[in-house]
């Protein structure tokens, strides 16, 4: 998928907005005492009630130090996969950070979003969420310069080091900063097969396109490794810089459109951008 029509871009934008609408709706009702499993299930039900018919992955929810993936050590032979990622019985408390993450599909269009917040106040989380603005600007600027994806990932690592943060996206399988999102065939079905929280159609399509990309010297996984040492490949990428500091984690995740000559975020009307606007730090020039 190197070229997307305006109709396709609208379809991806709509499902991304739906995913964020879900996160915001569930977050608005969060109360101390609810568990990660409860929240993930509510997100799944909300999305299915709004027409979602498949998944890249079903919803995840992480609370407290689990937002920073503390102690998450993946199995190397499985690319870093760890069952600890799955929603747990951890219960939310006042002042705890949380991250909601979901990747729904509808009519062949898929989004993958990350949303973080707190019930009450958390000054450290505020700092992390403010600093995430710099990563969004850095990523887009360097993709537009057509720098190798691995170099851009390393630039994110360097920015984390300057801020004193850990790049916790490295805890994801394959130390993934971003991954490809592919257009699926709309077969009209209301439900599809899922395995271990992941949709088989999306995984199969990613694997198929990934094989084609690898055959041509490109990778469907964007990280700091050698396989990602190539110019940005046209298509859609779900990008997710994830910061960790002293047991608190914060991230955003959204779709980046890459063309042969340019790049842009699929939508600037997303919760983290609206938050930066409300705090007077968007665009970054206001801070300089």
């Amino acid at each position: 998928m190197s070229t997307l029509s305006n109709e396709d871009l609208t379809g991806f934008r709509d499902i991304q907005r739906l995913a964020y609408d879900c996160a915001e709706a569930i977050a608005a009702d969060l109360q101390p005492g609810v568990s990660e499993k409860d929240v993930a299930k509510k997100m799944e039900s909300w999305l299915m009630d709004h027409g979602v018919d498949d998944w890249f992955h079903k919803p995840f929810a992480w609370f407290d130090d689990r937002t920073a993936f503390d102690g998450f050590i993946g199995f190397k032979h499985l690319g870093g996969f760890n069952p600890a990622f799955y929603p747990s019985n951890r219960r939310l408390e006042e002042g705890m950070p949380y991250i909601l993450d979901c990747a729904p599909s509808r009519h062949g269009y898929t989004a993958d979003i990350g949303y973080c917040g707190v019930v009450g106040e958390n000054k450290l989380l505020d700092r992390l969420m403010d600093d995430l603005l710099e990563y969004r600007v850095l990523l887009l600027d360097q993709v537009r310069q057509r720098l190798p994806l691995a170099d851009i990932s390393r630039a994110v690592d360097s920015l984390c080091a300057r801020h004193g943060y850990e790049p916790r996206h490295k805890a994801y399988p394959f130390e993934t900063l971003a991954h490809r999102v592919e257009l699926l065939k709309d077969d009209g079905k209301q439900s599809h097969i899922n395995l271990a929280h992941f949709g088989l159609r999306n995984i199969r399509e990613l694997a198929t396109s990934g094989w084609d990309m690898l055959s041509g010297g490109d990778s469907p996984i964007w990280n700091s490794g050698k396989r990602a040492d190539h110019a940005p490949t046209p298509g859609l990428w779900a990008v997710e810089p994830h910061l960790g500091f002293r047991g608190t984690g914060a991230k955003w995740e959204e779709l980046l459109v890459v063309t042969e000559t340019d790049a842009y975020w699929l939508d600037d009307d997303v919760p983290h951008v609206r938050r930066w606007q409300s705090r007077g730090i968007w665009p970054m020039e206001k801070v300089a």
Side-chain angles (χ1 to χ4, degrees):
M1 181 182 61
S2 59
T3 302
L4 290 166
S5 68
N6 288 334
E7 179 182 359
D8 288 336
L9 290 174
T10 297
F12 281 110
R13 189 178 298 109
D14 286 347
I15 187 63
Q16 178 169 273
R17 288 183 175 178
L18 184 72
Y20 272 124
D21 286 347
C22 172
E24 290 187 303
I26 299 301
D29 288 336
L30 286 180
Q31 297 291 332
V34 69
S35 74
E36 292 178 355
K37 288 181 178 179
D38 293 336
V39 171
K41 193 64 179 176
K42 287 179 180 179
M43 293 177 70
E44 181 178 345
S45 295
W46 192 100
L47 287 163
M48 292 180 69
D49 287 344
H50 286 77
V52 165
D53 54 42
D54 204 352
W55 308 89
F56 181 78
H57 67 71
K58 292 187 176 184
F60 292 95
W62 302 297
F63 300 162
D64 199 26
D65 60 338
R66 284 174 51 80
T67 61
F69 297 161
D70 277 8
F72 288 25
I73 301 174
F75 300 113
K76 292 296 184 182
H77 64 289
L78 293 176
F81 173 79
N82 189 332
F85 285 111
Y86 289 102
S88 74
N89 291 317
R90 178 72 60 87
R91 295 194 176 274
L92 191 63
E93 297 178 13
E94 187 82 13
M96 265 189 187
Y98 62 80
I99 294 177
L100 310 180
D101 189 306
C102 62
S105 297
R106 185 176 63 178
H107 304 314
Y109 299 106
T110 300
D112 198 348
I113 65 100
Y115 178 93
C116 60
V118 61
V119 175
E121 295 185 1
N122 187 306
K123 297 298 184 183
L124 177 53
L125 181 65
D126 283 342
R127 173 184 156 190
L128 288 165
M129 291 174 70
D130 285 350
D131 286 344
L132 276 166
L133 168 56
E134 194 169 345
Y135 294 80
R136 194 175 190 266
V137 173
L138 170 73
L139 283 156
L140 180 59
D141 179 62
Q142 295 205 353
V143 172
R144 283 177 165 170
Q145 293 180 49
R146 307 291 297 165
L147 298 179
L149 293 180
D151 285 355
I152 300 172
S153 179
R154 294 179 196 120
V156 169
D157 297 343
S158 295
L159 182 56
C160 285
R162 290 200 298 275
H163 282 151
Y165 300 146
E166 293 182 72
R168 296 310 293 148
H169 44 271
K170 289 186 175 296
Y172 290 115
F174 308 106
E175 300 188 353
T176 301
L177 172 64
H179 62 81
R180 293 271 298 194
V181 173
E182 303 296 341
L183 179 63
L184 304 176
K185 179 182 179 181
D186 182 11
D187 58 13
K189 295 182 180 180
Q190 298 302 307
S191 63
H192 296 85
I193 297 174
N194 297 277
L195 180 64
H197 235 61
F198 288 83
L200 291 186
R201 286 200 310 157
N202 269 293
I203 297 303
R204 183 172 61 245
E205 191 65 29
L206 179 63
T208 300
S209 68
W211 177 258
D212 292 340
M213 291 175 68
L214 287 169
S215 298
D218 291 347
S219 172
I221 302 297
W222 178 352
N223 55 25
S224 298
K226 291 182 179 179
R227 285 189 174 178
D229 192 17
H230 58 80
T233 309
L236 275 180
W237 293 85
V239 186
E240 53 183 329
H242 191 149
L243 312 179
F245 184 72
R246 296 181 180 175
T248 295
K251 65 176 276 189
W252 48 259
E253 184 174 10
E254 60 177 307
L255 295 176
L256 177 70
V257 183
V258 178
T259 71
E260 295 286 353
T261 58
D262 196 10
Y264 55 92
W265 298 108
L266 180 63
D267 194 353
D268 276 331
D269 186 17
V270 290
H272 40 284
V273 171
R274 293 196 296 268
R275 178 185 177 277
W276 295 326
Q277 290 170 334
S278 71
R279 291 173 67 81
I281 60 174
W282 172 273
M284 279 191 68
E285 288 78 1
K286 292 185 177 181
V287 186

